[in-house]
Structure formats: C-alpha cells, structure tokens
C-alpha cells in the first residue's frame, strides 16, 4: 500500500483568491485551472469575456504539469525542443507544451497542477506562481 | 445583429455556492459545474473526495442542460417518448442522467448547472435545483432594480 497526496478544495480556493486579488486593470479576462495530482480539475474559473478556448488550453497545461510533474515551459525546452520529440509521442491528447502550466509540489511530491490563460504567457505564469505561493505548501 | 444573454463569472460563483450551502457537510462529496449558453465551463468546483466520474458527469449534465436547452431529466422523458437515444446526438458530452438544470433569463438560455456526487441522480437533481433557484433569484433581483417603479397606468 502507498498513499498519494493531492491538493484539495481548501488549497485551490486560497490560490483562486490570491490570483483574483493580484489582477490589475491592465490584465485581460482570465481563465484559471487548478488540478489535482491526476490532472483532474479541482477548480475552474473563467471570467466574463474570456473565450472558452482559453479555459480548454489552461486545462491542458494544468493536466500536463500534474501528470508529468514539470512546468510546461521546461517540458517544451527539455523534451520537445532539445530531444526533437513531438507531442504525439506521449499518446495523450491533453499533453501540451504551451507555457504557463506549473506543477504543484509538497515536500517534493507532485500534488497538482495550476495554469492560467488570458494574458501573455509570461504574465500567465507569474499569476499562476502567485496562486501557488498562496497555497502555503512545502516545496 | 443579435445579442445573447450569457451567465457571468460572478453569478456562476453564487449559483455554485448555493448548491454547496444546500449540500452541507454530512453528505458524500459533490462536484458542481456551471456553464454558459454554449455549454462551456464558467465555474467548476468540487468537494474533497469527489471522484473522477463525478467531475466528468457534473460537467456533462451542465453542458446538456445548456446546449440542449432542457433540464436533463426532462430531456430523458422527451427522447424516450420520441423513441430516440442519447447516441442520436453524436455528442459524447450529452447525457440524460438527472441533475442538470437549464438556466434562463428573459426567456433565453443563459447557461446550465450540473451536480453529481450524492450517489443518487434524483438527489443530485434536487441539489442542482438549489443552484437553479439561486440563478432565478438573481434574475428577479436584477429585474427589480431595472423596472419602472410607476404603476402601469401612469407610464
């Protein structure tokens, strides 16, 4: 027997509130995804004016981060670009190399994934990091 | 040009919260999905312990209610009466499992809500109804702020 750890609603809501707090007037409407250790959504949030495709994209990012245990930008650089692999090699249509998905860790173990869409990928990642920090986990 | 009314994120959160409040703590964990009029998620949340099937079906129920424009239990009655099956729609996201309610405002479909997790589709439906009622209340409150306060004869 072994136990797997995952984030729950409590952590997800902390992250949600911190991100909404951090948004400024210059930010576009956002889509936010917080997923558990299997990449399944714990919390999905799409602001007025954010197209549905943004949430779909963010779901793929969070899924990838949670399942592979990597930030999607690192996945793109170290696997796709450096080793000339393609996304099809993973045989999973939800895997993406778009920047903005961050793996959530607690004491070294992957316990979830968080991703945003709506702004530039750099801003998306920065906002996701704010949410991650607000969860108060031990990296 | 046409204008569609669509449920926004603020209302979606209130609707989901109404369901969670009604669910209380002493039941099986549930998943709640609120979608817009095209069936795309606006807000989704789940209680700790809700299963992967709950997650998927909450979204499918909400999608069905919004996309088909029928509460999912009513839709089952309708297609059964017509001798059809869910497969006739060629859409893996539609379902007749009870627990999806269509959200309307000014007679337009503005979205849908789906709840899964109680272990019984009729209980799911009763919980989802709390969300649909909250959405209706928001609609009434909004109408009250906009209506002409004068009596009809004086307008």
């Amino acid at each position: 027997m072994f136990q797997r750890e995952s984030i729950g609603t409590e952590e997800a809501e902390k992250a949600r509130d911190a991100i909404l707090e951090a948004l400024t007037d210059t930010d576009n409407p956002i889509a936010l995804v917080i997923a558990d250790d299997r990449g399944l959504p714990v919390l999905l949030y799409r602001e007025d004016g954010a197209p549905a495709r943004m949430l779909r994209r963010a779901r793929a990012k969070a899924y990838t981060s949670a399942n592979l245990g990597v930030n999607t930008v690192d996945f793109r650089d170290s696997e796709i670009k450096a080793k000339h692999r393609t996304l099809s090699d993973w045989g999973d249509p939800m895997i993406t190399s778009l920047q903005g998905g961050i793996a959530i860790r607690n004491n070294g173990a992957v316990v979830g994934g968080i991703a945003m869409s709506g702004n530039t990928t750099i801003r998306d990642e920065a906002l996701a990091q704010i949410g991650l920090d607000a969860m108060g986990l031990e990296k | 040009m046409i204008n569609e009314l669509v449920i926004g994120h603020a209302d979606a959160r209130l609707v989901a919260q109404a369901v969670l409040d009604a669910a209380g703590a002493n039941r099986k964990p549930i998943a709640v999905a609120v979608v817009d009029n095209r069936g795309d998620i606006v807000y989704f949340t789940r209680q700790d312990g809700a299963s992967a099937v709950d997650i998927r079906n909450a979204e499918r129920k909400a999608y069905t209610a919004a996309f088909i424009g029928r509460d999912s239990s009513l839709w089952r009655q309708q297609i059964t009466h017509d001798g059809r099956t869910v497969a006739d729609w060629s859409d893996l996201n539609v379902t007749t499992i009870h627990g999806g309610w269509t959200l309307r405002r000014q007679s337009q479909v503005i979205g849908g809500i789906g709840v899964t997790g109680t272990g019984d589709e009729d209980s799911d439906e009763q919980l989802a109804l709390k969300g649909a009622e909250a959405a209706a209340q928001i609609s009434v409150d909004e109408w009250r702020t906009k209506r002409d306060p004068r009596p009809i004869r004086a307008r």
Side-chain angles (χ1 to χ4, degrees):
Chain A
M1 295 278 273
F2 76 111
Q3 287 194 332
R4 284 181 72 159
E5 203 178 22
S6 172
I7 57 155
T9 314
E10 187 188 342
E11 289 82 11
E13 288 183 347
K14 277 184 194 166
R16 175 197 68 194
D17 293 342
I19 289 168
L20 294 182
E21 183 78 18
L23 290 176
T24 65
D25 292 342
T26 56
D27 283 313
N28 295 324
I30 55 129
L32 164 67
V33 176
I34 301 168
D36 67 13
D37 61 325
R38 294 175 294 175
L40 298 172
V42 178
L43 192 135
L44 305 176
Y45 185 78
R46 182 163 63 91
E47 283 193 321
D48 298 353
R53 65 183 145 80
M54 284 185 182
L55 192 70
R56 281 198 289 272
R57 197 186 298 166
R59 279 174 89 158
K61 292 182 196 176
Y63 176 92
T64 303
S65 292
N67 271 282
L68 303 183
V70 292
N71 296 351
T72 49
V73 62
D74 297 335
F75 172 62
R76 181 194 67 193
D77 293 341
S78 65
E79 294 290 334
I80 304 293
K81 279 190 177 171
K83 296 180 185 167
H84 301 293
R85 290 176 173 166
T86 70
L87 288 177
S88 306
D89 289 325
W90 275 262
D92 183 343
M94 282 289 279
I95 297 284
T96 179
S97 62
L98 290 172
Q99 184 173 1
I102 301 180
I104 304 171
R105 291 175 186 279
N106 190 33
N107 294 319
V110 178
V111 293
I114 180 168
M116 308 256 326
S117 275
N119 291 296
T120 62
T121 48
I122 294 170
R123 177 68 176 151
D124 284 343
E125 209 171 57
L127 283 168
Q129 188 64 47
I130 289 170
L132 182 57
D133 294 342
M135 289 186 193
L137 304 175
E138 297 293 328
K139 289 175 186 172
Chain B
M1 297 291 265
I2 54 166
N3 266 313
E4 290 178 338
L5 281 174
V6 185
I7 190 165
H9 64 258
D11 289 357
R13 276 181 72 171
L14 289 172
V15 168
Q17 193 58 48
V19 173
L20 293 175
D21 291 346
N26 296 322
R27 301 174 78 149
K28 289 183 182 170
I30 58 165
V32 185
V34 183
V35 302
D36 66 15
N37 60 341
R38 310 269 172 102
D40 291 312
I41 292 239
V42 180
Y43 193 71
F44 169 91
T45 186
R46 59 167 155 130
Q47 293 174 318
D48 292 343
S51 72
V53 173
D54 296 337
I55 294 168
R56 179 176 298 178
N57 281 346
E59 187 176 351
R60 291 175 72 224
K61 289 176 186 182
Y63 173 90
T64 304
F67 190 73
I68 303 287
R70 299 275 185 284
D71 308 325
S72 58
S73 59
L74 173 69
W75 193 52
R76 179 187 292 173
Q77 281 188 0
Q78 189 178 0
I79 67 173
T80 306
H81 174 267
D82 295 345
R84 294 173 175 168
T85 70
V86 176
D88 287 321
W89 273 261
S90 304
D91 184 344
L92 292 178
N93 248 342
V94 297
T95 178
T96 65
I97 307 174
H98 298 184
W101 289 90
T102 307
L103 307 179
R104 286 190 175 81
R105 193 168 296 182
Q106 296 173 23
S107 305
Q108 293 183 42
V109 176
I110 60 163
I113 179 167
V115 174
T116 304
T118 63
D120 162 34
E121 61 176 351
D122 293 316
S123 304
D124 286 347
E125 188 177 26
Q126 287 307 308
L127 270 182
L129 179 59
K130 299 293 180 190
E133 285 172 351
Q137 188 61 49
I138 293 168
S139 171
V140 169
D141 292 345
E142 190 184 271
W143 169 76
R144 282 208 174 107
T145 63
K146 285 182 182 167
R147 71 173 173 161
D148 190 338
R150 293 170 299 172
I152 289 172
R153 280 188 203 135
R155 284 176 198 170

